[in-house]
Amino acid sequence: MAGLTAPLLGLEKKSLREQALSALRTAITSGELEPGRHLVETELSEMLQISRGTLREALRQLEQEGLLSAGPRGRLSVRHLDEKEIRDIYAVRAALESLAARTLCELADRQHVTKSLHQAIDVMAAGASGSLEERIESDLEFHRTLCRLTGNETLLHSWESLEGSIRMSIMFAGLEKGVRNMSVDRHRDIVAAIDTGDAALARKTILEHMDTAAANLVA
Amino acid sequence: MAGLTAPLLGLEKKSLREQALSALRTAITSGELEPGRHLVETELSEMLQISRGTLREALRQLEQEGLLSAGPRGRLSVRHLDEKEIRDIYAVRAALESLAARTLCELADRQHVTKSLHQAIDVMAAGASGSLEERIESDLEFHRTLCRLTGNETLLHSWESLEGSIRMSIMFAGLEKGVRNMSVDRHRDIVAAIDTGDAALARKTILEHMDTAAANLVA
DNA sequence: TTACTCCCGACTGTAAACAGTCGACTTATG
DNA sequence: CATAAGTCGACTGTTTACAGTCGGGAGTAA
């Protein structure tokens, strides 16, 4: 006699705040809200059909994720990235992911790890002819999985906090540039390096991957 | 005829939200709000003499900093750290700060960098006989400076997002354990390594510092 | 006693209203 | 015409009020 209503099974109904958060993130990383644009709370709350209070909570979070920058007197605007900032973001990303790679090498059952990673790559391979957005999505999913599999919640959380900035970097540079980094082979190399259990090699592989990724974006 | 009022000079008046944020952060990292404790919005808003709306914005930020964890139906509680989580936090911290060290080595004028760092160490040395809290404070200031001097805003921001967790780690382990890591000499070693410009050495020095720091905490 | 129902209290989610401040435009004045 | 004072409008900061929901305890029937 259960819920014909909605929040069936694992599908939790999200709060308006979370919905707004997703909507805004998408709007920003898709370029719909162009960089430098001033955000007006009353405007947005009206667009999203939510109250300002609820909206403001979401904005605070986006601000902390680095998607928004605060001007004088709390005026928010969509963050603008220049090439240096993109390189900076990728430097931090590289630091985090190289930690992930090293950690995975020292893990007990790398069987499970490499299996999950191969799956993620298979998804990428399957969508290799899909839209740019889809390819980017599956790429990010691979790297997120890399962090998640370490079991280090703090690492995963830090990476996810950076995710918005990463997306903005790709958007900024242009999707056609970003997609250069989606090579399936390069990702297989990473997994192979982890598979050997050689932490130094895995770290080196990731760092190189990130280096070329950043170079591709700002080139 | 200027302001006898208050917001004189560079001293900006903080919003209630920011005040609440600081107050809560301090309360949590000092242990006044013990780990695992459930937070009730109406209680806190009354304690801090602010409205719930304003409070909630601060809570969202603390949540994202990892000081609070969300239970079912939005119930917030002070995060509880076990030894593994402390190690995880320090692993991420090490990754970030080793990036900082490497970056500083590649910087143009390391003169300025080492000068600033030496200043920060001098502050530590001056307060070496002060209270535990003060010593911890000056230690964190040194490491924050390390990140700030890189000029990589994203790096600094990531580190600061982690700062709350770092403070909790020290608090959790006990201040007397945390203070073991405040050795002035060890910090001088770090600066010396950066001063040589040898990125690999600097990275190694920081990683070892963080390793022993984490070990001291969970030992 | 046990189990079941119903009601009440406690919290969070959300919305709407109020207050203060800064900037831009207008107007008056030399 | 240029400059200064004044007024209006737009936003953010903050508070207050309302709605929905979950959990627990009182009460009741088997």
Side-chain angles (χ1 to χ4, degrees):
Chain A
M1 218 73 74
L4 294 174
T5 48
L8 210 49
L9 275 161
L11 302 170
E12 310 167 17
K13 72 174 163 191
K14 283 187 185 177
S15 64
L16 289 185
R17 174 174 52 85
E18 289 173 285
Q19 290 176 239
L21 200 53
S22 306
L24 287 173
R25 242 196 297 255
T26 303
I28 293 173
T29 58
S30 75
E32 188 184 331
L33 258 47
E34 69 273 25
R37 161 141 178 190
H38 281 288
L39 299 184
V40 179
E41 294 179 357
T42 51
E43 255 178 46
L44 286 179
S45 68
E46 191 164 299
M47 276 185 198
L48 298 170
Q49 301 275 23
I50 62 176
S51 75
R52 273 185 59 219
T54 304
L55 171 71
R56 280 172 65 93
E57 290 185 45
L59 291 179
R60 288 282 96 73
Q61 197 157 341
L62 290 172
E63 189 184 351
Q64 185 133 356
E65 283 180 24
L67 268 61
L68 303 179
S69 62
R73 239 182 356 282
R75 305 293 287 272
L76 293 176
S77 54
V78 179
R79 185 178 172 197
H80 181 88
L81 296 181
D82 59 24
E83 291 199 353
K84 176 185 181 302
E85 286 174 300
I86 292 179
R87 269 191 294 265
D88 283 352
I89 289 167
Y90 268 72
V92 175
R93 183 184 176 183
L96 293 176
E97 295 199 19
S98 70
L99 169 61
R102 277 195 296 136
T103 305
L104 290 177
C105 284
E106 294 155 4
L107 231 54
D109 64 334
R110 286 206 305 287
Q111 310 287 335
H112 173 243
V113 168
T114 52
K115 183 160 160 282
S116 298
L117 289 176
H118 275 306
Q119 276 180 2
I121 292 182
D122 289 343
V123 172
M124 287 183 62
S129 53
S131 72
L132 268 52
E133 285 81 1
E134 284 169 354
R135 296 180 63 187
I136 290 171
E137 217 55 47
S138 60
D139 175 66
L140 288 175
E141 177 58 26
F142 170 82
H143 291 276
R144 190 187 303 112
T145 302
L146 201 70
C147 293
R148 186 186 306 117
L149 289 171
T150 63
N152 184 336
E153 286 294 326
T154 302
L155 173 57
L156 177 60
H157 188 264
S158 295
W159 190 90
E160 286 178 338
S161 293
L162 200 62
E163 185 174 350
S165 297
I166 296 170
R167 295 183 117 98
M168 276 196 87
S169 299
I170 297 172
M171 189 264 292
F172 246 83
L175 265 45
E176 72 288 352
K177 283 186 181 174
V179 90
R180 290 188 207 160
N181 299 320
M182 307 303 158
S183 154
V184 170
D185 286 341
R186 300 296 306 261
H187 287 79
R188 291 208 193 281
D189 289 345
I190 294 171
V191 180
I194 292 172
D195 201 28
T196 66
D198 184 340
L201 174 64
R203 172 170 179 273
K204 183 163 161 288
T205 309
I206 278 277
L207 288 181
E208 282 175 0
H209 181 64
M210 286 296 132
D211 250 15
T212 57
N216 276 335
L217 287 186
V218 299
Chain B
M1 215 69 80
L4 294 174
T5 46
L8 209 49
L9 275 161
L11 303 170
E12 310 166 18
K13 72 174 165 190
K14 283 188 185 175
S15 65
L16 290 185
R17 188 189 83 242
E18 287 172 286
Q19 291 177 240
L21 200 53
S22 306
L24 288 173
R25 242 196 297 253
T26 302
I28 293 173
T29 58
S30 74
E32 189 184 330
L33 258 49
E34 69 274 22
R37 164 143 174 187
H38 281 288
L39 298 183
V40 178
E41 293 179 358
T42 52
E43 256 179 45
L44 287 179
S45 69
E46 184 163 307
M47 278 185 197
L48 298 170
Q49 302 275 25
I50 61 175
S51 73
R52 273 185 57 221
T54 304
L55 172 71
R56 280 170 66 94
E57 289 185 46
L59 291 178
R60 289 280 96 75
Q61 196 157 342
L62 290 173
E63 190 183 349
Q64 186 138 354
E65 284 181 22
L67 267 61
L68 302 179
S69 60
R73 239 183 355 283
R75 305 296 283 274
L76 293 176
S77 53
V78 178
R79 185 178 171 197
H80 181 87
L81 297 182
D82 58 24
E83 291 198 353
K84 176 185 183 303
E85 285 173 301
I86 292 179
R87 270 191 294 265
D88 284 351
I89 289 167
Y90 267 71
V92 175
R93 183 185 175 183
L96 293 177
E97 296 199 21
S98 71
L99 168 61
R102 276 195 296 137
T103 306
L104 290 177
C105 285
E106 293 155 7
L107 230 54
D109 64 335
R110 284 206 305 287
Q111 310 285 338
H112 173 244
V113 166
T114 53
K115 182 159 161 282
S116 298
L117 289 176
H118 275 304
Q119 275 180 4
I121 292 183
D122 289 343
V123 172
M124 286 183 64
S129 53
S131 72
L132 267 55
E133 286 81 2
E134 283 169 355
R135 298 181 62 187
I136 290 171
E137 217 55 47
S138 61
D139 175 66
L140 288 175
E141 177 57 28
F142 170 83
H143 290 278
R144 192 185 304 111
T145 302
L146 200 71
C147 293
R148 184 185 308 116
L149 289 171
T150 63
N152 183 334
E153 287 293 326
T154 302
L155 173 55
L156 177 60
H157 189 262
S158 295
W159 190 90
E160 286 178 337
S161 293
L162 201 62
E163 185 175 348
S165 297
I166 295 171
R167 295 183 118 97
M168 277 196 85
S169 298
I170 297 173
M171 189 266 291
F172 245 84
L175 266 45
E176 72 287 351
K177 283 185 182 175
V179 91
R180 289 187 205 161
N181 299 322
M182 305 305 157
S183 154
V184 169
D185 286 341
R186 300 297 305 263
H187 288 79
R188 288 209 194 281
D189 289 346
I190 294 171
V191 180
I194 292 171
D195 201 28
T196 66
D198 183 342
L201 175 63
R203 173 171 178 270
K204 184 163 160 285
T205 309
I206 277 278
L207 288 181
E208 283 175 359
H209 181 65
M210 286 296 132
D211 250 15
T212 58
N216 275 332
L217 286 186
V218 299

